[in-house]
Amino acid sequence: MTVWERLRPYSMVAPAIIVFAMFFIYPIFYMMYLSLFDWNFVSPTKTFVGIQNFVDLLSEPDFRKVLSNTTLYTVLTVTLTTGLSLFMAIWLNRSGFFYGLVQGAIFSPHIISLVSISLLWSWLMDPEYGLLNWVIGLFGFGKLEWLSHPSTSLISLVIVAVWKGLGYNTLVFIAGLQSIPQDIYEAASLDRSRPWTTFTRLILPMLSPTIFFLVIINLIGSFQVFETIAIMTQGGPVNSTNTLVYYIYEAGFRFFKIGYASAAGVILLFIVGILTIVYFRLLSSRVHYR
Amino acid sequence: MAQIELIGICKKYKEETVIQDLNLTIRDGSFTVLVGPSGCGKSTTLRMVAGLERQTAGDILIDGQRVNDTPPGLRDVAMVFQNYALYPTMTVRGNIEFGLKNRGVSRKERERLISDISEIVGLGPYLDKKPQNLSGGQRQRVALARAMVKQPKVFILDEPLSNLDAKLRNQMRTELIQLHERLGTTFVYVTHDQVEAMSMGDEIVVMNEGAVQQADSPMKLYEQPANLFTAQFIGTPAMNIMKVGDIKGLRVQPESGAYHVGFRPEHAQINPDTPVEGLVLEGDILTRESLGAEHIYQIRSKAGAFFVKTFLKPLVTAERVRIAVPHGHLYYFSLNGSRVETSGGANEKTPSRQLIAGGV
């Protein structure tokens, strides 16, 4: 074997590996490195502080609030998006002009930029002049504060996230439903299966790979929510919508506490990593792959 | 056990008529095979009996009861699908058990039925496997077991063997015949393969373009085809059809309306030793297919190309041959394809006529 033959496979994958290393591997390790220093982004000297940043973070009440906000936001977004879109998919999985129209309509938020969506929903949710308060006023309900009150601000953000994610998730579910052969339903009807039994015993298990996929990408996506918060609430009011990535952004790029922000980043990486591993370990054995 | 009656069945998909005024009675306990080319409406008919599709007009009776508005699960019908339609998320046991559970059969009874059935179809060792870990033949058996365990009045099988390889198909064919004898239930079987139909059915319904062409026993179909379509559909190779007018010397009574004459490849004799009364043609052998016990020749005559099949006879090597078919084996059809009876000049038993009749 010549040297070239030995090297050829490596040279083939090199471009991908180099890009991956430069933009993913190196930043991760650099972040871990920075999390051990006190640095303000511009000063030529970085002061080594060991794990002091982590100690500070974990003893900071704000950070604990941020973690619980993020968790609550993620749990609500993932369950609502997945559940609602499964419901929509079952309803929309048929042909006809109307169903196509609804499918297209609920998918359209997916292709609109999050910045536009955030601005749009800020107007809709305006307590004084917003359309939402006007509509619920028609039904005789009192005005809601939406984004401006700590008790409703997080759920308002969840509503926006679900609205944006619904179309894409529904589309993936419809694709999953359509991969189930028609004769399975026919066999079930000959077996006197009631609709609910068919759903729980046949459709849900056969959709499990789709559900698994959607939950994991929604989970990771929700944990890293940033744009809507940056534009709609800036983490407020009183930290009620401050989430992990927004917290990192503020620490790093508003207060220039790079080491501190990096430590929070390491914790985010750790949490998402653990979640993913646990999810795969626990559930992949229960997923039915054809 | 049940007789199935289809009365004045029509089926339309939007504008397109698939089945037009179909009337058919499927005998109780029979093994009835619906056979025809693809798109002839045989599967649609079957699915309407099962209740998976609704007829546009007409009545379906199972065991004397009108089932037009009865959902599939309550018709007491079990179906074996072409692609088996097993529940991939359940084990073999779960697949067989599902219908019983939905009927509220007790656990003890279910276990007894499953062990009985799995013994009959030989699935014992596979009960806890998922269908995707089974071979095609085993899946087929699961599908059969799932249908059988419900002890239905009617068994419906939609091309159940078409996904199996040739050897397994032959084996399953025999097993299905035995199964039918054992259960004594009405079997309705759909296939496009006339060999399968002939070998399995005790009643065959030949369909074409949404209409029944002939419903009869296999031998009746073979010996007494009602029309040109059935004559050409049953038999391998198909019956040879020629225009009466193209064959010199073949005299038919003009009032009989005979336009086509047909004969089966296996009834033609090549270079007969003794003079034969009937149709005589002369032609060139184009191809010879030798299958061991039988030979199939394609022969071109002036009246058109046709096939001849011989059994346990040496291969004919001559280029040009004389073919004779006795009168008794000739079939006559009118211009619109229906069978007509004609003496075909058989009563003019003059040797001179015999000599005139020949390839043009």
Side-chain angles (χ1 to χ4, degrees):
Chain A
M1 210 189 251
T2 65
V3 177
W4 169 236
E5 272 175 1
R6 234 178 239 284
L7 286 177
R8 189 164 53 193
Y10 298 99
S11 70
M12 298 288 179
V13 294
I17 293 292
I18 288 167
V19 170
F20 184 70
M22 270 170 61
F23 293 101
F24 292 91
I25 307 292
Y26 169 70
I28 286 173
F29 282 102
Y30 192 54
M31 174 180 76
M32 289 176 177
Y33 168 78
L34 284 178
S35 71
L36 303 174
F37 289 85
D38 182 13
W39 187 40
N40 67 3
F41 216 28
V42 281
S43 112
T45 53
K46 303 183 183 97
T47 322
F48 183 79
V49 292
I51 58 161
Q52 191 56 44
N53 283 328
F54 292 93
V55 174
D56 288 352
L57 257 176
L58 295 173
S59 56
E60 169 74 56
D62 274 3
F63 185 69
R64 264 176 265 157
K65 175 74 178 153
V66 161
L67 277 183
S68 78
N69 281 344
T70 314
T71 311
L72 187 63
Y73 174 87
T74 303
V75 169
L76 286 174
T77 308
V78 172
T79 46
L80 284 176
T81 310
T82 318
L84 266 180
S85 53
L86 179 59
F87 181 78
M88 292 294 273
I90 289 167
W91 177 49
L92 293 173
N93 183 27
R94 56 197 92 188
S95 51
F97 176 74
F98 173 73
Y99 300 106
L101 193 75
V102 176
Q103 262 187 54
I106 63 167
F107 186 72
S108 56
H110 183 70
I111 54 169
I112 304 173
S113 98
L114 255 176
V115 177
S116 317
I117 286 174
S118 304
L119 288 172
L120 192 83
W121 278 90
S122 297
W123 294 335
L124 288 173
M125 287 173 165
D126 187 287
E128 289 305 317
Y129 311 107
L131 190 70
L132 289 186
N133 268 354
W134 179 73
V135 170
I136 62 171
L138 289 181
F139 291 95
F141 293 102
K143 283 180 176 170
L144 283 177
E145 295 283 335
W146 298 108
L147 298 164
S148 348
H149 195 278
S151 64
T152 50
S153 52
L154 194 70
I155 190 75
S156 302
L157 287 172
V158 170
I159 290 172
V160 177
V162 172
W163 179 79
K164 175 159 169 75
L166 191 64
Y168 174 76
N169 282 262
T170 303
L171 203 73
V172 176
F173 268 130
I174 287 177
L177 282 173
Q178 286 177 350
S179 73
I180 300 176
Q182 195 61 35
D183 54 11
I184 300 262
Y185 297 112
E186 294 177 347
S189 76
L190 281 162
D191 267 345
R192 287 196 202 171
S193 180
R194 278 183 294 271
W196 180 249
T197 317
T198 308
F199 179 70
T200 52
R201 295 274 281 127
L202 292 170
I203 299 178
L204 267 190
M206 288 181 83
L207 278 182
S208 57
T210 313
I211 298 171
F212 187 80
F213 163 74
L214 286 177
V215 166
I216 194 84
I217 62 159
N218 287 337
L219 197 73
I220 294 170
S222 304
F223 232 92
Q224 300 178 356
V225 56
F226 175 75
E227 292 96 326
T228 47
I229 290 162
I231 293 161
M232 296 171 81
T233 65
Q234 288 88 45
V238 276
N239 259 340
S240 61
T241 58
N242 202 352
T243 59
L244 210 41
V245 176
Y246 190 72
Y247 187 77
I248 294 168
Y249 161 77
E250 283 213 311
F253 300 104
R254 270 184 72 187
F255 308 126
F256 296 109
K257 291 153 75 180
I258 294 299
Y260 188 75
S262 297
V266 170
I267 289 173
L268 173 68
L269 180 75
F270 186 72
I271 292 172
V272 172
I274 291 285
L275 270 181
T276 313
I277 291 167
V278 166
Y279 185 69
F280 267 83
R281 277 282 157 83
L282 274 185
L283 285 176
S284 62
S285 60
R286 302 188 56 185
V287 169
H288 162 77
Y289 290 106
R290 259 160 287 173
Chain B
M1 297 228 210
Q3 170 171 294
I4 304 166
E5 286 165 84
L6 301 162
I7 303 161
I9 296 292
C10 291
K11 177 70 187 175
K12 285 180 187 160
Y13 289 110
K14 290 190 179 137
E15 293 305 299
E16 194 189 352
T17 305
V18 190
I19 289 166
Q20 186 69 54
D21 193 31
L22 181 99
N23 290 289
L24 183 67
T25 302
I26 295 168
R27 244 184 332 108
D28 179 20
S30 68
F31 195 130
T32 300
V33 181
L34 303 185
V35 65
S38 35
C40 73
K42 55 189 191 300
S43 274
T44 310
T45 308
L46 196 75
R47 292 167 59 81
M48 287 191 294
V49 173
L52 299 174
E53 241 156 283
R54 207 189 146 75
Q55 65 271 26
T56 317
D59 287 322
I60 295 175
L61 280 77
I62 298 178
D63 205 9
Q65 289 200 313
R66 205 161 147 272
V67 293
N68 292 7
D69 301 310
T70 313
L74 300 177
R75 290 192 181 194
D76 228 344
V77 160
M79 183 159 173
V80 176
F81 292 82
Q82 183 173 359
N83 300 314
Y84 318 134
L86 300 177
Y87 311 128
T89 54
M90 300 182 194
T91 58
V92 171
R93 185 193 304 277
N95 266 280
I96 302 173
E97 205 173 23
F98 190 59
L100 297 176
K101 268 189 181 166
N102 291 329
R103 273 154 207 258
V105 176
S106 74
R107 188 190 180 85
K108 231 177 168 179
E109 181 69 4
R110 289 204 304 262
E111 268 168 20
R112 191 184 64 77
L113 284 168
I114 291 170
S115 73
D116 284 359
I117 280 301
S118 53
E119 198 173 314
I120 293 175
V121 293
L123 279 172
Y126 309 106
L127 276 179
D128 294 314
K129 287 196 171 178
K130 290 268 179 78
Q132 55 269 36
N133 300 327
L134 300 180
S135 70
Q138 288 165 339
R139 287 181 203 188
Q140 178 70 72
R141 280 163 216 268
V142 180
L144 275 173
R146 185 175 67 178
M148 275 164 60
V149 81
K150 292 183 279 184
Q151 295 165 329
K153 282 186 200 159
V154 177
F155 257 103
I156 283 181
L157 302 102
D158 188 3
E159 307 215 10
L161 304 185
S162 57
N163 284 354
L164 301 179
D165 62 66
K167 198 176 161 193
L168 202 54
R169 200 180 306 155
N170 279 333
Q171 188 193 334
M172 286 305 288
R173 220 187 263 172
T174 333
E175 284 185 26
L176 279 175
I177 297 169
Q178 287 168 347
L179 198 64
H180 173 247
E181 276 167 12
R182 180 172 178 160
L183 297 172
T185 316
T186 314
F187 271 47
V188 190
Y189 187 106
V190 155
T191 180
H192 60 264
D193 180 356
Q194 53 100 2
V195 179
E196 213 168 279
M198 291 291 279
S199 59
M200 296 179 79
D202 48 31
E203 183 93 11
I204 297 179
V205 180
V206 181
M207 291 182 71
N208 189 34
E209 292 176 349
V212 173
Q213 300 294 323
Q214 190 173 356
D216 248 323
S217 69
M219 276 328 278
K220 274 282 266 304
L221 273 183
Y222 177 79
E223 284 167 357
Q224 299 295 336
N227 51 44
L228 205 53
F229 180 81
T230 316
Q232 286 188 290
F233 194 75
I234 302 293
T236 340
M239 182 184 277
N240 299 303
I241 301 292
M242 289 162 179
K243 283 182 189 149
V244 171
D246 285 351
I247 302 166
K248 231 185 231 170
L250 187 69
R251 299 231 175 88
V252 295
Q253 295 155 332
E255 67 276 12
S256 70
Y259 181 77
H260 294 287
V261 60
F263 61 91
R264 296 214 175 268
E266 49 271 35
H267 290 148
Q269 300 168 13
I270 300 177
N271 293 332
D273 307 328
T274 51
V276 172
E277 258 186 71
L279 175 87
V280 180
L281 289 165
E282 226 169 77
D284 300 320
I285 297 183
L286 291 179
T287 59
R288 295 175 182 82
E289 275 177 59
S290 184
L291 305 173
E294 59 189 60
H295 304 302
I296 297 168
Y297 305 92
Q298 196 188 359
I299 296 169
R300 187 174 54 203
S301 76
K302 285 196 177 154
F306 61 91
F307 289 95
V308 172
K309 186 153 121 182
T310 63
F311 290 101
L312 303 170
K313 284 192 183 139
L315 194 67
V316 177
T317 48
E319 282 295 309
R320 195 162 178 81
V321 288
R322 213 162 63 85
I323 304 298
V325 186
H327 274 302
H329 288 304
L330 291 177
Y331 300 87
Y332 295 95
F333 303 93
S334 70
L335 190 56
N336 67 19
S338 61
R339 176 106 179 272
V340 292
E341 288 300 328
T342 170
S343 43
N347 42 7
E348 311 169 25
K349 282 185 181 167
T350 53
S352 61
R353 227 202 70 38
Q354 172 53 231
L355 288 172
I356 316 163
V360 191

